[in-house]
Amino acid sequence: MPSRIADIKAAHPDNLMARHFNNDYFQSLDPAKQKRLLKVFASGLENPDSQMGAYAMNPDDYDLFAVQLDPMIRDFHAIAAGTPIAQKHDWNTSALACDLSAIDPRLSDVSMRVRVGRNLSTFPLPGAMDKNQRIALENIVVMAFKTLLDDAEFGGRYLSITPGSPHEIDAAEYDQRVSAHQMFKDMSGDRYLNVAGISGDWPYGRGMYVSQREDFLVWVGEEDHLRIMAMQRGGNLNALFARLHGGLQRLQGVLPPFATSPVYGNVTSCPTNLGAGMRASLHMKLPQLTSGGQNLDGLKSEAKALGLAVRGAGGEHSAAGADGLVDISPSARLGVTEMEIMRRLYDGAAKLWEKEVAAGGGEHDDA
Ligand code: ARG
């Protein structure tokens, strides 16, 4: 095993599992713990091009294997060794006005989304669940959604893709929801999730809650037990965050407790999502900065300096659209509050937009 990891480290220096693999620590573990840790690392071992290369299987993996995982987490989130991490939360986002239309009226129609990953403390994380547990989790969550169905603010529908579920939708509706960027893609095609066991028993226990206004959604059974999100068109990030927070609080009141860590805040399958567990993003058209969507490299490095990550509008690992439509989002999840994430997105978007306009761009009829 150590020699295999050394090979990965040499060929893929950005694989954080390989970079930080601690052989002395590994050898000090009893065989049962070694086996557990290898399961956490399975995806990064099978997929040497991984960036993180690890998924937790149980919330307490983060405590139990802290000696090994903490350096990887700090490296990804750029938190120096020795600096204390104590994840703080601040949802008081109305304290700072972040309306993109104040930057430029042309930005009053961008597509905004923000999601948080949450896991129930009463189940293993998705990589370690069996089929019965996946179905049981969906049933518990559906009971909680029942309290929302007729709500004036958050009322909506639950759509299941579990074969035989009373809420089951057909393949055509599933496809339509995927192309509308609401529902998650078929996970069984994802080699990282497959090796981790996260996509196991597909599509059992999977589904989505969608509000009548289609601006509040909850994914069930994806990479985390729950991905709770708000999605709106417009420029007002404060309204978007308030919508998410309102829905999150409603759900929290009717669900078993979420898995949290005193150090890392919200516990997620992937160590890249710990902390606020939040990903907030904007779909912006930046054709000048991406050579008409042909090349994201320059934009990626400009965005990185602003603490933002760039991807195509079609999700993780996708390319930009021909119109230069890209997804920008603050990279930091851990050690930053929700309020700070919103501020970084707003400030970063303002700077990128300024550059786009200076380069001769600035049309924004976001479709
Ligand atoms: N496991 C993959 C890697 O290590 C994905 C990491 C981040 N993405 C995610 N969806 N969690 O590169």
Side-chain angles (χ1 to χ4, degrees), residues 14-17 43-44 47-55 76 115 190-193 196 198 222-224 227 269-273 311 316-317 333:
D14 294 331
N15 180 322
L16 296 179
M17 177 277 297
S43 187
N47 299 289
D49 65 342
S50 290
Q51 196 190 0
M52 175 53 72
Y55 290 100
F76 181 86
R115 61 87 170 149
D190 185 313
R191 63 191 164 94
Y192 303 96
L193 299 180
I198 294 175
E222 209 242 9
E223 189 181 306
D224 292 301
R227 288 276 175 98
S269 283
C270 184
T272 64
N273 285 317
R311 50 162 88 156
E316 197 168 15
H317 315 305
R333 313 261 192 274

PDB file of all heavy atoms in Angstrom, residues 14-17 43-44 47-55 76 115 190-193 196 198 222-224 227 269-273 311 316-317 333, ligand 1:
ATOM      1  N   ASP A  14      -1.125  16.783  -6.737  1.00  0.00           N
ATOM      2  CA  ASP A  14      -2.260  17.525  -6.189  1.00  0.00           C
ATOM      3  C   ASP A  14      -3.289  16.644  -5.490  1.00  0.00           C
ATOM      4  O   ASP A  14      -4.267  17.144  -4.944  1.00  0.00           O
ATOM      5  CB  ASP A  14      -2.956  18.328  -7.297  1.00  0.00           C
ATOM      6  CG  ASP A  14      -2.044  19.425  -7.831  1.00  0.00           C
ATOM      7  OD1 ASP A  14      -1.190  19.917  -7.049  1.00  0.00           O
ATOM      8  OD2 ASP A  14      -2.160  19.773  -9.022  1.00  0.00           O
ATOM      9  N   ASN A  15      -3.086  15.350  -5.534  1.00  0.00           N
ATOM     10  CA  ASN A  15      -3.980  14.435  -4.813  1.00  0.00           C
ATOM     11  C   ASN A  15      -3.650  14.560  -3.314  1.00  0.00           C
ATOM     12  O   ASN A  15      -2.596  14.110  -2.864  1.00  0.00           O
ATOM     13  CB  ASN A  15      -3.750  13.008  -5.335  1.00  0.00           C
ATOM     14  CG  ASN A  15      -4.627  11.966  -4.655  1.00  0.00           C
ATOM     15  OD1 ASN A  15      -4.884  12.033  -3.463  1.00  0.00           O
ATOM     16  ND2 ASN A  15      -5.068  10.989  -5.439  1.00  0.00           N
ATOM     17  N   LEU A  16      -4.543  15.208  -2.561  1.00  0.00           N
ATOM     18  CA  LEU A  16      -4.219  15.552  -1.162  1.00  0.00           C
ATOM     19  C   LEU A  16      -4.120  14.329  -0.265  1.00  0.00           C
ATOM     20  O   LEU A  16      -3.380  14.334   0.721  1.00  0.00           O
ATOM     21  CB  LEU A  16      -5.240  16.545  -0.601  1.00  0.00           C
ATOM     22  CG  LEU A  16      -5.268  17.912  -1.298  1.00  0.00           C
ATOM     23  CD1 LEU A  16      -6.330  18.809  -0.665  1.00  0.00           C
ATOM     24  CD2 LEU A  16      -3.908  18.591  -1.215  1.00  0.00           C
ATOM     25  N   MET A  17      -4.862  13.275  -0.590  1.00  0.00           N
ATOM     26  CA  MET A  17      -4.745  12.033   0.176  1.00  0.00           C
ATOM     27  C   MET A  17      -3.318  11.499   0.054  1.00  0.00           C
ATOM     28  O   MET A  17      -2.668  11.171   1.056  1.00  0.00           O
ATOM     29  CB  MET A  17      -5.769  11.027  -0.360  1.00  0.00           C
ATOM     30  CG  MET A  17      -5.752   9.664   0.252  1.00  0.00           C
ATOM     31  SD  MET A  17      -4.522   8.548  -0.466  1.00  0.00           S
ATOM     32  CE  MET A  17      -5.112   8.427  -2.166  1.00  0.00           C
ATOM     33  N   SER A  43     -11.583   6.079  -3.070  1.00  0.00           N
ATOM     34  CA  SER A  43     -11.837   6.854  -4.284  1.00  0.00           C
ATOM     35  C   SER A  43     -10.567   7.539  -4.789  1.00  0.00           C
ATOM     36  O   SER A  43     -10.317   7.603  -5.995  1.00  0.00           O
ATOM     37  CB  SER A  43     -12.929   7.894  -4.030  1.00  0.00           C
ATOM     38  OG  SER A  43     -13.296   8.530  -5.223  1.00  0.00           O
ATOM     39  N   GLY A  44      -9.753   8.013  -3.855  1.00  0.00           N
ATOM     40  CA  GLY A  44      -8.506   8.675  -4.248  1.00  0.00           C
ATOM     41  C   GLY A  44      -7.436   7.702  -4.710  1.00  0.00           C
ATOM     42  O   GLY A  44      -6.544   8.057  -5.479  1.00  0.00           O
ATOM     43  N   ASN A  47      -8.785   6.626  -8.222  1.00  0.00           N
ATOM     44  CA  ASN A  47      -8.830   7.775  -9.123  1.00  0.00           C
ATOM     45  C   ASN A  47      -7.675   8.707  -8.758  1.00  0.00           C
ATOM     46  O   ASN A  47      -7.873   9.713  -8.067  1.00  0.00           O
ATOM     47  CB  ASN A  47     -10.163   8.529  -8.982  1.00  0.00           C
ATOM     48  CG  ASN A  47     -11.361   7.675  -9.330  1.00  0.00           C
ATOM     49  OD1 ASN A  47     -11.578   7.345 -10.497  1.00  0.00           O
ATOM     50  ND2 ASN A  47     -12.130   7.301  -8.328  1.00  0.00           N
ATOM     51  N   PRO A  48      -6.480   8.377  -9.223  1.00  0.00           N
ATOM     52  CA  PRO A  48      -5.298   9.149  -8.804  1.00  0.00           C
ATOM     53  C   PRO A  48      -5.388  10.630  -9.154  1.00  0.00           C
ATOM     54  O   PRO A  48      -4.732  11.449  -8.535  1.00  0.00           O
ATOM     55  CB  PRO A  48      -4.151   8.483  -9.569  1.00  0.00           C
ATOM     56  CG  PRO A  48      -4.650   7.140  -9.949  1.00  0.00           C
ATOM     57  CD  PRO A  48      -6.126   7.264 -10.121  1.00  0.00           C
ATOM     58  N   ASP A  49      -6.242  10.981 -10.132  1.00  0.00           N
ATOM     59  CA  ASP A  49      -6.379  12.400 -10.493  1.00  0.00           C
ATOM     60  C   ASP A  49      -7.266  13.169  -9.517  1.00  0.00           C
ATOM     61  O   ASP A  49      -7.584  14.330  -9.749  1.00  0.00           O
ATOM     62  CB  ASP A  49      -6.951  12.514 -11.913  1.00  0.00           C
ATOM     63  CG  ASP A  49      -8.369  11.975 -12.025  1.00  0.00           C
ATOM     64  OD1 ASP A  49      -8.807  11.210 -11.123  1.00  0.00           O
ATOM     65  OD2 ASP A  49      -9.059  12.315 -13.002  1.00  0.00           O
ATOM     66  N   SER A  50      -7.688  12.535  -8.423  1.00  0.00           N
ATOM     67  CA  SER A  50      -8.533  13.212  -7.431  1.00  0.00           C
ATOM     68  C   SER A  50      -7.824  14.433  -6.877  1.00  0.00           C
ATOM     69  O   SER A  50      -6.598  14.462  -6.760  1.00  0.00           O
ATOM     70  CB  SER A  50      -8.851  12.285  -6.258  1.00  0.00           C
ATOM     71  OG  SER A  50      -9.711  11.253  -6.641  1.00  0.00           O
ATOM     72  N   GLN A  51      -8.646  15.384  -6.476  1.00  0.00           N
ATOM     73  CA  GLN A  51      -8.120  16.596  -5.860  1.00  0.00           C
ATOM     74  C   GLN A  51      -8.014  16.388  -4.348  1.00  0.00           C
ATOM     75  O   GLN A  51      -6.994  16.684  -3.737  1.00  0.00           O
ATOM     76  CB  GLN A  51      -9.090  17.729  -6.172  1.00  0.00           C
ATOM     77  CG  GLN A  51      -8.547  19.095  -5.946  1.00  0.00           C
ATOM     78  CD  GLN A  51      -9.659  20.142  -6.059  1.00  0.00           C
ATOM     79  OE1 GLN A  51     -10.825  19.836  -6.304  1.00  0.00           O
ATOM     80  NE2 GLN A  51      -9.278  21.387  -5.859  1.00  0.00           N
ATOM     81  N   MET A  52      -9.061  15.848  -3.766  1.00  0.00           N
ATOM     82  CA  MET A  52      -9.039  15.528  -2.337  1.00  0.00           C
ATOM     83  C   MET A  52      -8.662  14.060  -2.154  1.00  0.00           C
ATOM     84  O   MET A  52      -7.761  13.723  -1.421  1.00  0.00           O
ATOM     85  CB  MET A  52     -10.414  15.826  -1.724  1.00  0.00           C
ATOM     86  CG  MET A  52     -10.592  15.428  -0.268  1.00  0.00           C
ATOM     87  SD  MET A  52      -9.332  16.089   0.857  1.00  0.00           S
ATOM     88  CE  MET A  52      -9.741  17.834   0.935  1.00  0.00           C
ATOM     89  N   GLY A  53      -9.412  13.180  -2.819  1.00  0.00           N
ATOM     90  CA  GLY A  53      -9.077  11.765  -2.763  1.00  0.00           C
ATOM     91  C   GLY A  53      -9.595  11.048  -1.537  1.00  0.00           C
ATOM     92  O   GLY A  53      -9.087   9.982  -1.187  1.00  0.00           O
ATOM     93  N   ALA A  54     -10.601  11.602  -0.882  1.00  0.00           N
ATOM     94  CA  ALA A  54     -11.159  10.948   0.311  1.00  0.00           C
ATOM     95  C   ALA A  54     -12.612  11.362   0.507  1.00  0.00           C
ATOM     96  O   ALA A  54     -12.984  12.498   0.188  1.00  0.00           O
ATOM     97  CB  ALA A  54     -10.353  11.340   1.548  1.00  0.00           C
ATOM     98  N   TYR A  55     -13.401  10.427   1.002  1.00  0.00           N
ATOM     99  CA  TYR A  55     -14.774  10.720   1.433  1.00  0.00           C
ATOM    100  C   TYR A  55     -14.978  10.047   2.782  1.00  0.00           C
ATOM    101  O   TYR A  55     -14.673   8.850   2.920  1.00  0.00           O
ATOM    102  CB  TYR A  55     -15.803  10.133   0.469  1.00  0.00           C
ATOM    103  CG  TYR A  55     -15.885  10.785  -0.898  1.00  0.00           C
ATOM    104  CD1 TYR A  55     -15.256  10.207  -1.995  1.00  0.00           C
ATOM    105  CD2 TYR A  55     -16.627  11.950  -1.104  1.00  0.00           C
ATOM    106  CE1 TYR A  55     -15.352  10.774  -3.262  1.00  0.00           C
ATOM    107  CE2 TYR A  55     -16.724  12.521  -2.369  1.00  0.00           C
ATOM    108  CZ  TYR A  55     -16.093  11.931  -3.443  1.00  0.00           C
ATOM    109  OH  TYR A  55     -16.200  12.491  -4.691  1.00  0.00           O
ATOM    110  N   PHE A  76      -6.461  21.866   1.779  1.00  0.00           N
ATOM    111  CA  PHE A  76      -7.513  22.255   0.827  1.00  0.00           C
ATOM    112  C   PHE A  76      -8.090  23.631   1.153  1.00  0.00           C
ATOM    113  O   PHE A  76      -8.303  24.461   0.274  1.00  0.00           O
ATOM    114  CB  PHE A  76      -8.643  21.218   0.782  1.00  0.00           C
ATOM    115  CG  PHE A  76      -9.719  21.599  -0.207  1.00  0.00           C
ATOM    116  CD1 PHE A  76      -9.607  21.265  -1.547  1.00  0.00           C
ATOM    117  CD2 PHE A  76     -10.816  22.349   0.202  1.00  0.00           C
ATOM    118  CE1 PHE A  76     -10.566  21.656  -2.465  1.00  0.00           C
ATOM    119  CE2 PHE A  76     -11.788  22.755  -0.719  1.00  0.00           C
ATOM    120  CZ  PHE A  76     -11.659  22.393  -2.052  1.00  0.00           C
ATOM    121  N   ARG A 115     -26.416  26.481  -1.928  1.00  0.00           N
ATOM    122  CA  ARG A 115     -26.828  25.226  -1.313  1.00  0.00           C
ATOM    123  C   ARG A 115     -25.981  24.931  -0.089  1.00  0.00           C
ATOM    124  O   ARG A 115     -24.853  25.400   0.009  1.00  0.00           O
ATOM    125  CB  ARG A 115     -26.743  24.072  -2.309  1.00  0.00           C
ATOM    126  CG  ARG A 115     -25.347  23.775  -2.880  1.00  0.00           C
ATOM    127  CD  ARG A 115     -24.520  22.836  -2.047  1.00  0.00           C
ATOM    128  NE  ARG A 115     -23.296  22.405  -2.728  1.00  0.00           N
ATOM    129  CZ  ARG A 115     -22.172  22.106  -2.097  1.00  0.00           C
ATOM    130  NH1 ARG A 115     -22.081  22.228  -0.794  1.00  0.00           N
ATOM    131  NH2 ARG A 115     -21.112  21.697  -2.764  1.00  0.00           N
ATOM    132  N   ASP A 190     -20.560   8.420 -12.168  1.00  0.00           N
ATOM    133  CA  ASP A 190     -19.468   9.204 -11.572  1.00  0.00           C
ATOM    134  C   ASP A 190     -18.446   8.268 -10.932  1.00  0.00           C
ATOM    135  O   ASP A 190     -18.722   7.602  -9.939  1.00  0.00           O
ATOM    136  CB  ASP A 190     -20.064  10.161 -10.526  1.00  0.00           C
ATOM    137  CG  ASP A 190     -19.024  11.098  -9.928  1.00  0.00           C
ATOM    138  OD1 ASP A 190     -17.927  10.620  -9.544  1.00  0.00           O
ATOM    139  OD2 ASP A 190     -19.309  12.299  -9.822  1.00  0.00           O
ATOM    140  N   ARG A 191     -17.246   8.223 -11.521  1.00  0.00           N
ATOM    141  CA  ARG A 191     -16.257   7.236 -11.055  1.00  0.00           C
ATOM    142  C   ARG A 191     -15.750   7.538  -9.642  1.00  0.00           C
ATOM    143  O   ARG A 191     -15.345   6.629  -8.919  1.00  0.00           O
ATOM    144  CB  ARG A 191     -15.088   7.134 -12.044  1.00  0.00           C
ATOM    145  CG  ARG A 191     -14.284   8.405 -12.217  1.00  0.00           C
ATOM    146  CD  ARG A 191     -13.316   8.273 -13.415  1.00  0.00           C
ATOM    147  NE  ARG A 191     -12.810   9.556 -13.842  1.00  0.00           N
ATOM    148  CZ  ARG A 191     -11.663  10.089 -13.429  1.00  0.00           C
ATOM    149  NH1 ARG A 191     -10.893   9.427 -12.586  1.00  0.00           N
ATOM    150  NH2 ARG A 191     -11.283  11.271 -13.843  1.00  0.00           N
ATOM    151  N   TYR A 192     -15.768   8.806  -9.230  1.00  0.00           N
ATOM    152  CA  TYR A 192     -15.326   9.129  -7.860  1.00  0.00           C
ATOM    153  C   TYR A 192     -16.357   8.604  -6.849  1.00  0.00           C
ATOM    154  O   TYR A 192     -16.008   7.944  -5.859  1.00  0.00           O
ATOM    155  CB  TYR A 192     -15.160  10.644  -7.674  1.00  0.00           C
ATOM    156  CG  TYR A 192     -14.194  11.269  -8.647  1.00  0.00           C
ATOM    157  CD1 TYR A 192     -14.655  11.875  -9.818  1.00  0.00           C
ATOM    158  CD2 TYR A 192     -12.835  11.245  -8.406  1.00  0.00           C
ATOM    159  CE1 TYR A 192     -13.774  12.452 -10.717  1.00  0.00           C
ATOM    160  CE2 TYR A 192     -11.938  11.823  -9.296  1.00  0.00           C
ATOM    161  CZ  TYR A 192     -12.413  12.413 -10.453  1.00  0.00           C
ATOM    162  OH  TYR A 192     -11.543  12.984 -11.348  1.00  0.00           O
ATOM    163  N   LEU A 193     -17.617   8.894  -7.124  1.00  0.00           N
ATOM    164  CA  LEU A 193     -18.682   8.477  -6.202  1.00  0.00           C
ATOM    165  C   LEU A 193     -18.868   6.965  -6.199  1.00  0.00           C
ATOM    166  O   LEU A 193     -19.175   6.365  -5.168  1.00  0.00           O
ATOM    167  CB  LEU A 193     -20.004   9.157  -6.576  1.00  0.00           C
ATOM    168  CG  LEU A 193     -20.021  10.685  -6.511  1.00  0.00           C
ATOM    169  CD1 LEU A 193     -21.397  11.217  -6.897  1.00  0.00           C
ATOM    170  CD2 LEU A 193     -19.654  11.198  -5.121  1.00  0.00           C
ATOM    171  N   ALA A 196     -16.346   5.247  -3.979  1.00  0.00           N
ATOM    172  CA  ALA A 196     -16.605   5.569  -2.570  1.00  0.00           C
ATOM    173  C   ALA A 196     -17.860   4.876  -2.046  1.00  0.00           C
ATOM    174  O   ALA A 196     -18.119   4.901  -0.846  1.00  0.00           O
ATOM    175  CB  ALA A 196     -16.737   7.081  -2.401  1.00  0.00           C
ATOM    176  N   ILE A 198     -20.807   5.912  -2.691  1.00  0.00           N
ATOM    177  CA  ILE A 198     -21.821   6.955  -2.479  1.00  0.00           C
ATOM    178  C   ILE A 198     -22.985   6.815  -3.460  1.00  0.00           C
ATOM    179  O   ILE A 198     -24.127   7.112  -3.138  1.00  0.00           O
ATOM    180  CB  ILE A 198     -21.150   8.351  -2.555  1.00  0.00           C
ATOM    181  CG1 ILE A 198     -20.177   8.503  -1.368  1.00  0.00           C
ATOM    182  CG2 ILE A 198     -22.180   9.475  -2.556  1.00  0.00           C
ATOM    183  CD1 ILE A 198     -19.364   9.778  -1.375  1.00  0.00           C
ATOM    184  N   GLU A 222     -28.010  12.323  -2.476  1.00  0.00           N
ATOM    185  CA  GLU A 222     -26.873  12.552  -3.382  1.00  0.00           C
ATOM    186  C   GLU A 222     -25.580  12.379  -2.575  1.00  0.00           C
ATOM    187  O   GLU A 222     -25.490  11.479  -1.732  1.00  0.00           O
ATOM    188  CB  GLU A 222     -27.008  13.930  -4.072  1.00  0.00           C
ATOM    189  CG  GLU A 222     -26.345  13.969  -5.454  1.00  0.00           C
ATOM    190  CD  GLU A 222     -25.212  14.976  -5.517  1.00  0.00           C
ATOM    191  OE1 GLU A 222     -24.810  15.538  -4.500  1.00  0.00           O
ATOM    192  OE2 GLU A 222     -24.702  15.194  -6.642  1.00  0.00           O
ATOM    193  N   GLU A 223     -24.593  13.233  -2.805  1.00  0.00           N
ATOM    194  CA  GLU A 223     -23.298  13.054  -2.120  1.00  0.00           C
ATOM    195  C   GLU A 223     -23.413  13.240  -0.600  1.00  0.00           C
ATOM    196  O   GLU A 223     -22.634  12.667   0.164  1.00  0.00           O
ATOM    197  CB  GLU A 223     -22.302  14.051  -2.723  1.00  0.00           C
ATOM    198  CG  GLU A 223     -20.896  13.848  -2.276  1.00  0.00           C
ATOM    199  CD  GLU A 223     -19.951  14.880  -2.895  1.00  0.00           C
ATOM    200  OE1 GLU A 223     -19.932  15.019  -4.133  1.00  0.00           O
ATOM    201  OE2 GLU A 223     -19.241  15.549  -2.129  1.00  0.00           O
ATOM    202  N   ASP A 224     -24.367  14.044  -0.181  1.00  0.00           N
ATOM    203  CA  ASP A 224     -24.724  14.147   1.236  1.00  0.00           C
ATOM    204  C   ASP A 224     -26.176  13.719   1.371  1.00  0.00           C
ATOM    205  O   ASP A 224     -26.920  13.715   0.394  1.00  0.00           O
ATOM    206  CB  ASP A 224     -24.524  15.590   1.728  1.00  0.00           C
ATOM    207  CG  ASP A 224     -23.037  15.962   1.755  1.00  0.00           C
ATOM    208  OD1 ASP A 224     -22.281  15.263   2.463  1.00  0.00           O
ATOM    209  OD2 ASP A 224     -22.636  16.915   1.058  1.00  0.00           O
ATOM    210  N   ARG A 227     -29.018  18.004   0.314  1.00  0.00           N
ATOM    211  CA  ARG A 227     -28.456  19.231  -0.237  1.00  0.00           C
ATOM    212  C   ARG A 227     -29.637  20.181  -0.326  1.00  0.00           C
ATOM    213  O   ARG A 227     -30.554  19.970  -1.129  1.00  0.00           O
ATOM    214  CB  ARG A 227     -27.843  18.991  -1.618  1.00  0.00           C
ATOM    215  CG  ARG A 227     -26.514  18.193  -1.579  1.00  0.00           C
ATOM    216  CD  ARG A 227     -25.363  19.124  -1.309  1.00  0.00           C
ATOM    217  NE  ARG A 227     -24.071  18.461  -1.147  1.00  0.00           N
ATOM    218  CZ  ARG A 227     -23.148  18.331  -2.113  1.00  0.00           C
ATOM    219  NH1 ARG A 227     -23.410  18.716  -3.348  1.00  0.00           N
ATOM    220  NH2 ARG A 227     -21.972  17.794  -1.848  1.00  0.00           N
ATOM    221  N   SER A 269     -19.791  14.413   3.435  1.00  0.00           N
ATOM    222  CA  SER A 269     -19.041  13.268   2.901  1.00  0.00           C
ATOM    223  C   SER A 269     -17.658  13.696   2.458  1.00  0.00           C
ATOM    224  O   SER A 269     -16.655  13.064   2.762  1.00  0.00           O
ATOM    225  CB  SER A 269     -19.732  12.691   1.666  1.00  0.00           C
ATOM    226  OG  SER A 269     -20.837  11.922   1.986  1.00  0.00           O
ATOM    227  N   CYS A 270     -17.615  14.765   1.681  1.00  0.00           N
ATOM    228  CA  CYS A 270     -16.347  15.200   1.111  1.00  0.00           C
ATOM    229  C   CYS A 270     -15.731  16.280   2.003  1.00  0.00           C
ATOM    230  O   CYS A 270     -16.407  17.254   2.348  1.00  0.00           O
ATOM    231  CB  CYS A 270     -16.601  15.764  -0.297  1.00  0.00           C
ATOM    232  SG  CYS A 270     -15.080  16.230  -1.155  1.00  0.00           S
ATOM    233  N   PRO A 271     -14.459  16.110   2.359  1.00  0.00           N
ATOM    234  CA  PRO A 271     -13.816  17.108   3.237  1.00  0.00           C
ATOM    235  C   PRO A 271     -13.769  18.508   2.620  1.00  0.00           C
ATOM    236  O   PRO A 271     -13.582  19.488   3.332  1.00  0.00           O
ATOM    237  CB  PRO A 271     -12.392  16.555   3.416  1.00  0.00           C
ATOM    238  CG  PRO A 271     -12.487  15.099   3.091  1.00  0.00           C
ATOM    239  CD  PRO A 271     -13.572  14.974   2.065  1.00  0.00           C
ATOM    240  N   THR A 272     -13.984  18.604   1.297  1.00  0.00           N
ATOM    241  CA  THR A 272     -13.971  19.930   0.669  1.00  0.00           C
ATOM    242  C   THR A 272     -15.203  20.747   1.065  1.00  0.00           C
ATOM    243  O   THR A 272     -15.222  21.957   0.869  1.00  0.00           O
ATOM    244  CB  THR A 272     -13.946  19.838  -0.875  1.00  0.00           C
ATOM    245  OG1 THR A 272     -15.152  19.215  -1.325  1.00  0.00           O
ATOM    246  CG2 THR A 272     -12.765  19.041  -1.367  1.00  0.00           C
ATOM    247  N   ASN A 273     -16.239  20.090   1.575  1.00  0.00           N
ATOM    248  CA  ASN A 273     -17.496  20.790   1.877  1.00  0.00           C
ATOM    249  C   ASN A 273     -17.739  21.050   3.356  1.00  0.00           C
ATOM    250  O   ASN A 273     -18.788  21.558   3.732  1.00  0.00           O
ATOM    251  CB  ASN A 273     -18.680  19.987   1.324  1.00  0.00           C
ATOM    252  CG  ASN A 273     -18.791  20.101  -0.179  1.00  0.00           C
ATOM    253  OD1 ASN A 273     -18.636  21.184  -0.738  1.00  0.00           O
ATOM    254  ND2 ASN A 273     -19.035  18.986  -0.850  1.00  0.00           N
ATOM    255  N   ARG A 311     -16.293  27.236 -13.011  1.00  0.00           N
ATOM    256  CA  ARG A 311     -16.573  26.012 -13.773  1.00  0.00           C
ATOM    257  C   ARG A 311     -17.595  26.347 -14.850  1.00  0.00           C
ATOM    258  O   ARG A 311     -18.163  27.440 -14.854  1.00  0.00           O
ATOM    259  CB  ARG A 311     -17.094  24.897 -12.855  1.00  0.00           C
ATOM    260  CG  ARG A 311     -18.226  25.315 -11.938  1.00  0.00           C
ATOM    261  CD  ARG A 311     -19.011  24.140 -11.376  1.00  0.00           C
ATOM    262  NE  ARG A 311     -18.497  23.588 -10.154  1.00  0.00           N
ATOM    263  CZ  ARG A 311     -19.233  22.894  -9.274  1.00  0.00           C
ATOM    264  NH1 ARG A 311     -20.516  22.694  -9.488  1.00  0.00           N
ATOM    265  NH2 ARG A 311     -18.710  22.395  -8.194  1.00  0.00           N
ATOM    266  N   GLU A 316     -20.105  20.519 -12.107  1.00  0.00           N
ATOM    267  CA  GLU A 316     -18.716  20.171 -11.857  1.00  0.00           C
ATOM    268  C   GLU A 316     -18.131  19.496 -13.107  1.00  0.00           C
ATOM    269  O   GLU A 316     -18.755  18.635 -13.698  1.00  0.00           O
ATOM    270  CB  GLU A 316     -18.651  19.216 -10.657  1.00  0.00           C
ATOM    271  CG  GLU A 316     -17.277  19.106 -10.044  1.00  0.00           C
ATOM    272  CD  GLU A 316     -17.299  18.395  -8.678  1.00  0.00           C
ATOM    273  OE1 GLU A 316     -18.297  17.747  -8.343  1.00  0.00           O
ATOM    274  OE2 GLU A 316     -16.280  18.515  -7.970  1.00  0.00           O
ATOM    275  N   HIS A 317     -16.915  19.866 -13.478  1.00  0.00           N
ATOM    276  CA  HIS A 317     -16.175  19.328 -14.622  1.00  0.00           C
ATOM    277  C   HIS A 317     -16.766  19.689 -15.994  1.00  0.00           C
ATOM    278  O   HIS A 317     -16.379  19.124 -17.004  1.00  0.00           O
ATOM    279  CB  HIS A 317     -16.015  17.792 -14.558  1.00  0.00           C
ATOM    280  CG  HIS A 317     -15.604  17.271 -13.213  1.00  0.00           C
ATOM    281  ND1 HIS A 317     -14.479  17.720 -12.561  1.00  0.00           N
ATOM    282  CD2 HIS A 317     -16.180  16.364 -12.388  1.00  0.00           C
ATOM    283  CE1 HIS A 317     -14.381  17.096 -11.386  1.00  0.00           C
ATOM    284  NE2 HIS A 317     -15.401  16.275 -11.254  1.00  0.00           N
ATOM    285  N   ARG A 333     -15.077  27.054   2.195  1.00  0.00           N
ATOM    286  CA  ARG A 333     -16.266  26.541   2.876  1.00  0.00           C
ATOM    287  C   ARG A 333     -16.014  26.509   4.377  1.00  0.00           C
ATOM    288  O   ARG A 333     -16.904  26.713   5.171  1.00  0.00           O
ATOM    289  CB  ARG A 333     -16.568  25.100   2.466  1.00  0.00           C
ATOM    290  CG  ARG A 333     -16.523  24.811   0.998  1.00  0.00           C
ATOM    291  CD  ARG A 333     -17.915  24.820   0.403  1.00  0.00           C
ATOM    292  NE  ARG A 333     -17.877  24.272  -0.930  1.00  0.00           N
ATOM    293  CZ  ARG A 333     -17.603  24.992  -2.011  1.00  0.00           C
ATOM    294  NH1 ARG A 333     -17.374  26.282  -1.924  1.00  0.00           N
ATOM    295  NH2 ARG A 333     -17.575  24.420  -3.195  1.00  0.00           N
TER     296      ARG A 333
HETATM  297  N1  ARG B   1     -13.550  13.145  -5.027  1.00  0.00           N
HETATM  298  C1  ARG B   1     -13.253  14.143  -5.988  1.00  0.00           C
HETATM  299  C2  ARG B   1     -11.817  14.581  -5.817  1.00  0.00           C
HETATM  300  O1  ARG B   1     -11.230  14.264  -4.816  1.00  0.00           O
HETATM  301  C3  ARG B   1     -14.213  15.338  -5.879  1.00  0.00           C
HETATM  302  C4  ARG B   1     -13.840  16.419  -4.927  1.00  0.00           C
HETATM  303  C5  ARG B   1     -14.736  17.636  -4.811  1.00  0.00           C
HETATM  304  N2  ARG B   1     -16.019  17.520  -5.384  1.00  0.00           N
HETATM  305  C6  ARG B   1     -17.068  17.067  -4.762  1.00  0.00           C
HETATM  306  N3  ARG B   1     -18.191  16.969  -5.435  1.00  0.00           N
HETATM  307  N4  ARG B   1     -17.051  16.734  -3.510  1.00  0.00           N
HETATM  308  O2  ARG B   1     -11.291  15.210  -6.698  1.00  0.00           O
END
